[in-house]
Amino acid sequence: MHHPIQAPPPKPPLRQRALALALAAVACLLVLLPQLTAGQPYGAQLPALSVANQDTSPSLYAIPPQFDELWGFAEGLSVVKVDSKYGYIDTSGTLAIAPRFDEADSFSEGLARIRIGSKYGYTGKTGKILISPQFETVGSFAEGRALVKIGSQWGFINKTGKIAIPPQFDDAYYFADGLARVKIGSKWGYIDKTGKIVIPPQFDWAEPFAGELARIGIDDKLGYIDKRGKIVIPPQFDEAEDFAEGLAQVAIGSKWGYINKSGNRVIRPQFEWADSFTGGLARIGIGSKMGFIDKTGNRVIPPQFKGGSNFSEGLAQVWDGYQDAYIDKTGKIAIPPQFRGAGNFTDGLARVKIGSKWGYIDKTGTFVIPPQFERATDFSNGLARVRIGSKWGYIDKTGSRVIPPQFERAAAFSDGIARVVNDGKIGYLRNPLK
């Protein structure tokens, strides 16, 4: 039901004193840990940190864990749930809109969808109800319009709550690039923001425009139209994807190939599966083997692997059915098969698994951070999430436990903050490297 949007603002760097306190706390925990055995509502004062989480200075928290439900930030505010009601906090953790809604959504274009009782309306960022709850079903605003359902028909309202496009459609989607998909009877077409039908309903299915073209379906076949509604690539494919780097993968029967934007078959259908082009190469499958082709269809790396990923920082992870390795763009083995799991290179390091533990290697295959973690993730903003036992924490690229494992759940840092769960409550950490 909810679709949190991660868009938090950056946070200022920690003061040296705060870092010193955090490091001192870490040292205390390391001394005490061998002697230990494992084994509040909003508005209340945050309880003192237990021994299990004394290694996190309160100053590392942008918002201390205290909420049962806390979303990502959108337009400076995040949805929170307090008891059974929803409200909003700002990036300091201060309540911006007191919890009083039965349901709430992220802000979009200055308005957020809320529900009181059984009716939906919209609030502004001060908490003032700008569109009174009156609708059975509504969507978020996009390009100044929001979907509403009245009876069995869909229409659109403007930001004052007035009906901009009367309910008349059997189904509809949000506006994108000035057009919205609508369904009349069993057929799909497109309207503009005045409600004018610019592409008459005639398709059995229609997708949003991706650039200048959109995928449409007629009689179980897929093709592409332009924004005037002209069919530029007639429906003829059993499967079709959006264009990437000028080519789109399409399937005829059970075989995949590639077309250009004129509909020409640049690479004839011949693959069991095909991926989008990225960096001039695309992964393809022949039989049970994976390889890479260029935009002419040349198999620059012949199918020979059981699986693998796209190239990242010049190397791609591949699997021979038993172990993971890394290849360069010529197909040469750069790091020999030896791992029981492997991720992509990010910030010069890749997570790999030896036995039951994860660690990190550089592009020569040398361990920079020895295998020691039950779980590990890619680096993001200078830090990677790792799990020891059942707890998550964060390490830097030297392997130092910048924020030792102590959380039940932890998200990647984005714009200087990361969402964490501690003792069942949700809060946000600041990135100590910022």
Side-chain angles (χ1 to χ4, degrees):
M1 177 168 57
H2 301 310
H3 303 283
I5 300 173
Q6 290 283 2
K11 290 291 181 181
L14 293 175
R15 293 172 296 183
Q16 291 182 349
R17 182 179 177 185
L19 282 174
L21 288 172
L23 292 173
V26 171
C28 290
L29 179 66
L30 292 175
V31 172
L32 291 172
L33 190 57
Q35 306 172 39
L36 300 176
T37 56
Q40 47 213 353
Y42 175 79
Q45 185 176 358
L46 190 68
L49 293 173
S50 67
V51 174
N53 57 21
Q54 279 182 351
D55 47 18
T56 300
S57 166
S59 62
L60 282 178
Y61 284 114
I63 301 172
Q66 57 192 291
F67 299 106
D68 297 316
E69 191 171 327
L70 176 61
W71 295 19
F73 283 91
E75 299 186 6
L77 296 177
S78 171
V79 175
V80 294
K81 185 179 183 182
V82 179
D83 297 324
S84 61
K85 297 296 183 180
Y86 290 89
Y88 295 84
I89 60 171
D90 62 23
T91 54
S92 72
T94 302
L95 271 177
I97 302 174
R100 68 181 191 275
F101 307 119
D102 296 306
E103 187 179 330
D105 207 348
S106 296
F107 274 88
S108 176
E109 299 187 358
L111 296 172
R113 180 180 68 106
I114 52 90
R115 177 173 62 84
I116 297 177
S118 62
K119 301 295 185 181
Y120 287 92
Y122 296 84
T123 181
K125 291 184 178 181
T126 65
K128 181 180 179 180
I129 300 295
L130 299 180
I131 300 175
S132 62
Q134 58 191 286
F135 303 107
E136 299 292 336
T137 307
V138 299
S140 296
F141 274 91
E143 299 188 4
R145 299 286 185 267
L147 278 164
V148 296
K149 189 177 185 182
I150 299 177
S152 62
Q153 300 290 291
W154 290 89
F156 293 84
I157 59 172
N158 62 23
K159 288 187 176 182
T160 68
K162 292 182 179 180
I163 298 293
I165 302 172
Q168 58 193 289
F169 308 112
D170 296 301
D171 204 349
Y173 283 82
Y174 55 85
F175 277 91
D177 291 330
L179 298 177
R181 294 174 288 159
V182 296
K183 186 179 184 183
I184 296 178
S186 62
K187 300 298 183 182
W188 289 86
Y190 296 81
I191 60 171
D192 64 19
K193 287 193 281 188
T194 69
K196 178 183 177 181
I197 294 177
V198 294
I199 301 176
Q202 59 193 288
F203 310 115
D204 297 320
W205 181 243
E207 291 286 342
F209 277 87
E212 294 302 313
L213 300 179
R215 289 175 290 157
I216 50 85
I218 297 177
D219 294 333
D220 294 326
K221 297 295 183 182
L222 299 178
Y224 298 80
I225 60 171
D226 63 20
K227 289 186 174 179
R228 296 171 298 170
K230 178 183 177 182
I231 295 178
V232 294
I233 302 175
Q236 58 193 287
F237 309 112
D238 295 297
E239 298 284 350
E241 299 295 338
D242 288 330
F243 282 87
E245 298 187 3
L247 298 179
Q249 64 267 45
V250 296
I252 295 179
S254 62
K255 300 297 185 182
W256 288 82
Y258 293 83
I259 60 172
N260 62 22
K261 291 184 178 181
S262 298
N264 297 321
R265 297 183 188 180
V266 176
I267 303 170
R268 66 178 179 83
Q270 59 192 286
F271 310 116
E272 269 65 50
W273 58 269
D275 202 358
S276 298
F277 274 91
T278 174
L281 297 178
R283 294 183 299 160
I284 51 86
I286 293 182
S288 61
K289 303 293 187 179
M290 182 204 79
F292 292 82
I293 59 171
D294 63 19
K295 291 184 179 180
T296 69
N298 179 40
R299 299 178 188 180
V300 293
I301 302 175
Q304 58 192 287
F305 307 108
K306 288 287 188 179
S309 65
N310 284 317
F311 280 91
S312 176
E313 299 186 2
L315 298 178
Q317 169 263 336
V318 293
W319 182 57
D320 63 8
Y322 302 96
Q323 295 177 312
D324 290 281
Y326 291 87
I327 59 172
D328 64 22
K329 289 191 174 183
T330 69
K332 179 183 177 182
I333 297 292
I335 302 173
Q338 58 191 290
F339 310 114
R340 295 188 61 185
N344 288 330
F345 274 91
T346 59
D347 292 338
L349 299 180
R351 56 192 172 94
V352 295
K353 189 177 184 182
I354 296 286
S356 62
K357 302 294 185 181
W358 289 83
Y360 292 83
I361 59 171
D362 63 20
K363 292 182 182 179
T364 69
T366 301
F367 271 101
V368 176
I369 303 171
Q372 58 193 285
F373 309 112
E374 271 71 44
R375 292 278 302 278
T377 65
D378 295 336
F379 275 89
S380 173
N381 291 284
L383 296 175
R385 293 170 291 149
V386 296
R387 196 185 80 192
I388 294 180
S390 62
K391 300 297 185 180
W392 288 88
Y394 298 82
I395 61 171
D396 65 18
K397 291 171 67 175
T398 70
S400 296
R401 299 180 188 181
V402 177
I403 303 175
Q406 62 202 271
F407 306 108
E408 289 111 65
R409 294 173 61 190
F413 277 93
S414 176
D415 293 327
I417 59 177
R419 193 162 30 178
V420 294
V421 178
N422 200 5
D423 294 331
K425 299 296 183 180
I426 309 170
Y428 273 93
L429 292 174
R430 290 189 181 96
N431 188 333
L433 302 184
K434 296 294 184 179

